[in-house]
Amino acid sequence: MGILAYIIFFLPLLVAKQSRFAMYHANQGLLLLLVCIACNIVLGAIPFLNLILVPIANLGALVLTILGIINAANGQIKPLPLIGKYTLIKTP
């Protein structure tokens, strides 16, 4: 469930509500999704620079996703760099 949280963040919310591990990674996946959407909207609105900045932001999101999947696969509750300290979903 932890790995799937980075691909489909709401799946652990439906299937594993009582799992602290799954809910933690669902929170990290939701944060990553929101940051990615915000970066694409904000950076996409900047003329000419969006051709450079949007791919860099998406590459950063991909790196964070891979780090999150590695942490979940290893059974670790470890926050993602830069965004991992924020909580949107409360863990049980």
Side-chain angles (χ1 to χ4, degrees):
M1 280 297 124
I3 293 171
L4 291 176
Y6 291 97
I7 300 166
I8 306 171
F9 80 91
F10 62 85
L11 190 60
L13 297 173
L14 300 174
V15 178
K17 292 180 189 176
Q18 301 304 319
S19 172
R20 184 173 186 263
F21 180 78
M23 295 302 283
Y24 178 81
H25 287 289
N27 179 64
Q28 296 287 295
L30 175 61
L31 282 170
L32 187 58
L33 175 68
L34 293 176
V35 166
C36 188
I37 290 171
C39 284
N40 279 301
I41 289 172
V42 171
L43 296 177
I46 302 171
F48 302 113
L49 288 178
N50 64 356
L51 297 174
I52 298 168
L53 297 177
V54 171
I56 291 172
N58 289 334
L59 183 62
L62 178 65
V63 169
L64 289 176
T65 302
I66 291 170
L67 285 173
I69 289 172
I70 290 171
N71 288 338
N74 290 333
Q76 298 175 345
I77 295 181
K78 195 171 165 185
L80 293 173
L82 302 173
I83 64 169
K85 61 183 174 183
Y86 301 104
T87 303
L88 297 176
I89 302 172
K90 302 215 185 245
T91 57

